[in-house]
Amino acid sequence: MLPYFPFGQQFNDKMGTYPLPESDWLIEVDQQYQNEITLKRQLLSTLPHYYYQALPGHEPAQWEVLELVLQNLVRFSPDSFTLHRNGNQWLWQNRILNEETTFTFGDMRTLPKDPLDWVGRQVQEDLTILAGNEATLVAGQLCFGNGWCLDEKIGLPFWQIHRPIVPIVEPMMLAAQKLMERLPVGRPVWRANWSVKVTDQLDMTSRHTSMLDKLLAEQSAHMTIDSIAEQLYVRVERQTLTRLPRSGAILFGIHTYQNLLAREVEERPDAAKRMAQVFSTTPAAMIDYKGMTSFLPILIRYLNNIHPSYYKSTS
Ligand code: HEM
């Protein structure tokens, strides 16, 4: 079952942000940890400059992200991670991967990679940094992006990053822009984004878009009300926004989760009803943007046909 399920009574045209309480993790380590870290590292070793980019001048923010992420890992998964600090001499132990790293905090020469590039390889989240008045994307390690990549967005301010969707949800994006300007230190927020895909491939960065479009066209031609639940995946991103205290930049973290539609519907009694409510009220332009136009009518028919008692009586 997906750990986050952002489907309510209708399409949410608001930002959908909530405060992230002190007691909640910023970084989440789950059962996919090893698989996803292995995949991430493979992608980064194949195309390092595609999956990691950083503009010069924002190294202090990168160190802040490293500190925040490591502290968070230790706090919420103390059995798996340890951080020993002796002044600026830090020793990092990752027991899941059986790795140890020693470095001098603040000294780039002592880490094998840039701080963001190194710490991103310890976590399942994609990590990006936005800085300045317009919240410009200044650095990122993005392996599991959904339809975008760093080449397209690095150096762009928040507003331009969202250019393709501004005409569809302009009030939401205006509110989000204000949030980016005013987000206080010590008051992080989170939101969840959803999409529905024909594969559970995690890396959906733009270099895969034409292949994924082709797959969608092939698959959707063969979808029926009986087959669709085995052909679609619900993809949810848990996104966090944290103002970094020293640099004033913002860390935007994205953790991607996915589940086969059939499994989600089986595991969550009200999933079908909630998804039907949201999909049938989502503006057509947004459905199109999310690549759901070709299968939406069958999907809604399938969801509306589900009776929660069906699964109870057959399980
Ligand atoms: C409260 C903050 C935010 C809100 C409300 C928001 C909202 C959205 C929405 C509604 C979409 C359309 C995609 C979908 O719904 O599946 C989207 C896409 C996107 N968002 Fe955000 N977003 C926020 C923060 C950010 C930040 C900080 C970044 C920084 C990198 C970002 C990068 C993107 C990108 C790259 C896309 C895809 C745009 C494209 O298709 O070219 N978002 N966002």
Side-chain angles (χ1 to χ4, degrees), residues 12 14-20 175-176 179 183 188-192 239-241:
N12 185 0
K14 307 287 182 301
M15 283 188 299
T17 48
Y18 303 94
L20 186 70
L179 175 91
L183 183 70
V189 297
W190 75 280
R191 67 185 292 271
Q239 306 177 336
T240 61
L241 290 158

mmCIF file of all heavy atoms in Angstrom, residues 12 14-20 175-176 179 183 188-192 239-241:
data_model
loop_
_atom_site.group_PDB
_atom_site.id
_atom_site.type_symbol
_atom_site.label_atom_id
_atom_site.label_comp_id
_atom_site.label_asym_id
_atom_site.label_seq_id
_atom_site.Cartn_x
_atom_site.Cartn_y
_atom_site.Cartn_z
ATOM 1 N N ASN A 12 -7.782 18.546 -6.091
ATOM 2 C CA ASN A 12 -7.391 19.632 -5.190
ATOM 3 C C ASN A 12 -6.687 20.718 -6.000
ATOM 4 O O ASN A 12 -5.583 20.510 -6.490
ATOM 5 C CB ASN A 12 -6.455 19.071 -4.107
ATOM 6 C CG ASN A 12 -6.110 20.109 -3.061
ATOM 7 O OD1 ASN A 12 -6.567 21.257 -3.151
ATOM 8 N ND2 ASN A 12 -5.306 19.718 -2.090
ATOM 9 N N LYS A 14 -5.763 23.483 -4.731
ATOM 10 C CA LYS A 14 -4.909 24.260 -3.809
ATOM 11 C C LYS A 14 -3.521 23.600 -3.780
ATOM 12 O O LYS A 14 -3.338 22.520 -4.322
ATOM 13 C CB LYS A 14 -5.501 24.257 -2.396
ATOM 14 C CG LYS A 14 -6.956 24.702 -2.322
ATOM 15 C CD LYS A 14 -7.081 26.193 -2.536
ATOM 16 C CE LYS A 14 -8.494 26.729 -2.420
ATOM 17 N NZ LYS A 14 -9.452 26.136 -3.365
ATOM 18 N N MET A 15 -2.589 24.258 -3.087
ATOM 19 C CA MET A 15 -1.214 23.729 -3.051
ATOM 20 C C MET A 15 -1.126 22.362 -2.402
ATOM 21 O O MET A 15 -0.238 21.583 -2.700
ATOM 22 C CB MET A 15 -0.329 24.661 -2.233
ATOM 23 C CG MET A 15 0.081 25.901 -2.936
ATOM 24 S SD MET A 15 1.296 26.740 -1.925
ATOM 25 C CE MET A 15 0.418 27.073 -0.434
ATOM 26 N N GLY A 16 -2.013 22.128 -1.428
ATOM 27 C CA GLY A 16 -1.980 20.832 -0.733
ATOM 28 C C GLY A 16 -0.762 20.675 0.158
ATOM 29 O O GLY A 16 -0.270 19.557 0.333
ATOM 30 N N THR A 17 -0.286 21.787 0.730
ATOM 31 C CA THR A 17 0.882 21.680 1.625
ATOM 32 C C THR A 17 0.426 21.578 3.081
ATOM 33 O O THR A 17 -0.606 22.145 3.464
ATOM 34 C CB THR A 17 1.811 22.911 1.490
ATOM 35 O OG1 THR A 17 1.011 24.089 1.559
ATOM 36 C CG2 THR A 17 2.575 22.905 0.194
ATOM 37 N N TYR A 18 1.213 20.868 3.872
ATOM 38 C CA TYR A 18 0.960 20.727 5.314
ATOM 39 C C TYR A 18 2.265 20.979 6.034
ATOM 40 O O TYR A 18 3.336 20.674 5.495
ATOM 41 C CB TYR A 18 0.527 19.293 5.660
ATOM 42 C CG TYR A 18 -0.691 18.841 4.919
ATOM 43 C CD1 TYR A 18 -0.555 18.124 3.728
ATOM 44 C CD2 TYR A 18 -1.971 19.119 5.402
ATOM 45 C CE1 TYR A 18 -1.670 17.704 3.018
ATOM 46 C CE2 TYR A 18 -3.090 18.689 4.708
ATOM 47 C CZ TYR A 18 -2.934 17.988 3.515
ATOM 48 O OH TYR A 18 -4.036 17.574 2.827
ATOM 49 N N PRO A 19 2.179 21.484 7.298
ATOM 50 C CA PRO A 19 3.430 21.609 8.070
ATOM 51 C C PRO A 19 4.028 20.225 8.291
ATOM 52 O O PRO A 19 3.294 19.251 8.448
ATOM 53 C CB PRO A 19 2.969 22.206 9.411
ATOM 54 C CG PRO A 19 1.573 22.665 9.218
ATOM 55 C CD PRO A 19 0.994 21.923 8.043
ATOM 56 N N LEU A 20 5.325 20.162 8.278
ATOM 57 C CA LEU A 20 6.016 18.884 8.550
ATOM 58 C C LEU A 20 6.427 18.916 10.020
ATOM 59 O O LEU A 20 7.363 19.630 10.385
ATOM 60 C CB LEU A 20 7.240 18.769 7.639
ATOM 61 C CG LEU A 20 8.001 17.461 7.674
ATOM 62 C CD1 LEU A 20 7.205 16.341 7.035
ATOM 63 C CD2 LEU A 20 9.322 17.601 6.926
ATOM 64 N N ALA A 175 0.120 30.952 -5.292
ATOM 65 C CA ALA A 175 0.217 30.672 -3.851
ATOM 66 C C ALA A 175 1.548 29.966 -3.538
ATOM 67 O O ALA A 175 2.204 30.266 -2.538
ATOM 68 C CB ALA A 175 -0.964 29.806 -3.410
ATOM 69 N N ALA A 176 1.938 29.033 -4.421
ATOM 70 C CA ALA A 176 3.184 28.293 -4.189
ATOM 71 C C ALA A 176 4.394 29.228 -4.274
ATOM 72 O O ALA A 176 5.343 29.116 -3.497
ATOM 73 C CB ALA A 176 3.314 27.162 -5.208
ATOM 74 N N LEU A 179 4.643 30.990 -1.084
ATOM 75 C CA LEU A 179 5.174 30.075 -0.067
ATOM 76 C C LEU A 179 6.696 29.994 -0.180
ATOM 77 O O LEU A 179 7.416 30.021 0.813
ATOM 78 C CB LEU A 179 4.556 28.677 -0.252
ATOM 79 C CG LEU A 179 5.102 27.602 0.668
ATOM 80 C CD1 LEU A 179 4.267 27.518 1.938
ATOM 81 C CD2 LEU A 179 5.127 26.248 -0.002
ATOM 82 N N LEU A 183 8.696 31.019 3.153
ATOM 83 C CA LEU A 183 8.861 29.821 3.995
ATOM 84 C C LEU A 183 9.840 30.102 5.143
ATOM 85 O O LEU A 183 11.006 30.420 4.907
ATOM 86 C CB LEU A 183 9.399 28.662 3.132
ATOM 87 C CG LEU A 183 9.559 27.316 3.829
ATOM 88 C CD1 LEU A 183 8.199 26.701 4.155
ATOM 89 C CD2 LEU A 183 10.360 26.363 2.937
ATOM 90 N N PRO A 188 9.339 23.523 8.093
ATOM 91 C CA PRO A 188 9.243 22.850 6.787
ATOM 92 C C PRO A 188 7.816 22.435 6.471
ATOM 93 O O PRO A 188 6.986 22.307 7.387
ATOM 94 C CB PRO A 188 10.139 21.622 6.950
ATOM 95 C CG PRO A 188 10.269 21.407 8.419
ATOM 96 C CD PRO A 188 10.095 22.736 9.077
ATOM 97 N N VAL A 189 7.531 22.239 5.194
ATOM 98 C CA VAL A 189 6.204 21.781 4.775
ATOM 99 C C VAL A 189 6.363 20.582 3.839
ATOM 100 O O VAL A 189 7.451 20.330 3.310
ATOM 101 C CB VAL A 189 5.390 22.886 4.049
ATOM 102 C CG1 VAL A 189 5.123 24.061 4.962
ATOM 103 C CG2 VAL A 189 6.081 23.342 2.765
ATOM 104 N N TRP A 190 5.270 19.867 3.652
ATOM 105 C CA TRP A 190 5.284 18.774 2.686
ATOM 106 C C TRP A 190 3.984 18.755 1.909
ATOM 107 O O TRP A 190 2.970 19.333 2.329
ATOM 108 C CB TRP A 190 5.528 17.435 3.385
ATOM 109 C CG TRP A 190 4.343 16.902 4.150
ATOM 110 C CD1 TRP A 190 3.952 17.292 5.394
ATOM 111 C CD2 TRP A 190 3.402 15.915 3.701
ATOM 112 N NE1 TRP A 190 2.817 16.596 5.763
ATOM 113 C CE2 TRP A 190 2.460 15.737 4.741
ATOM 114 C CE3 TRP A 190 3.269 15.161 2.538
ATOM 115 C CZ2 TRP A 190 1.386 14.840 4.642
ATOM 116 C CZ3 TRP A 190 2.207 14.262 2.445
ATOM 117 C CH2 TRP A 190 1.289 14.118 3.487
ATOM 118 N N ARG A 191 4.027 18.126 0.756
ATOM 119 C CA ARG A 191 2.836 17.914 -0.052
ATOM 120 C C ARG A 191 3.020 16.615 -0.829
ATOM 121 O O ARG A 191 4.126 16.097 -0.902
ATOM 122 C CB ARG A 191 2.573 19.086 -1.015
ATOM 123 C CG ARG A 191 3.609 19.231 -2.104
ATOM 124 C CD ARG A 191 3.369 20.476 -2.941
ATOM 125 N NE ARG A 191 2.160 20.400 -3.740
ATOM 126 C CZ ARG A 191 2.094 19.908 -4.978
ATOM 127 N NH1 ARG A 191 3.174 19.405 -5.561
ATOM 128 N NH2 ARG A 191 0.968 19.899 -5.648
ATOM 129 N N ALA A 192 1.933 16.114 -1.384
ATOM 130 C CA ALA A 192 2.053 14.907 -2.199
ATOM 131 C C ALA A 192 1.452 15.163 -3.571
ATOM 132 O O ALA A 192 0.429 15.838 -3.705
ATOM 133 C CB ALA A 192 1.354 13.739 -1.516
ATOM 134 N N GLN A 239 6.776 15.322 -1.365
ATOM 135 C CA GLN A 239 7.708 16.439 -1.591
ATOM 136 C C GLN A 239 7.846 17.248 -0.306
ATOM 137 O O GLN A 239 6.840 17.538 0.339
ATOM 138 C CB GLN A 239 7.168 17.354 -2.693
ATOM 139 C CG GLN A 239 6.840 16.609 -3.983
ATOM 140 C CD GLN A 239 6.232 17.523 -5.044
ATOM 141 O OE1 GLN A 239 5.650 18.564 -4.720
ATOM 142 N NE2 GLN A 239 6.353 17.129 -6.298
ATOM 143 N N THR A 240 9.070 17.587 0.052
ATOM 144 C CA THR A 240 9.267 18.419 1.251
ATOM 145 C C THR A 240 10.009 19.697 0.871
ATOM 146 O O THR A 240 10.844 19.696 -0.038
ATOM 147 C CB THR A 240 10.086 17.662 2.321
ATOM 148 O OG1 THR A 240 11.366 17.345 1.766
ATOM 149 C CG2 THR A 240 9.383 16.403 2.783
ATOM 150 N N LEU A 241 9.682 20.753 1.589
ATOM 151 C CA LEU A 241 10.347 22.043 1.374
ATOM 152 C C LEU A 241 10.879 22.545 2.711
ATOM 153 O O LEU A 241 10.109 22.703 3.665
ATOM 154 C CB LEU A 241 9.343 23.061 0.828
ATOM 155 C CG LEU A 241 8.870 22.828 -0.615
ATOM 156 C CD1 LEU A 241 7.540 23.508 -0.859
ATOM 157 C CD2 LEU A 241 9.915 23.354 -1.600
#
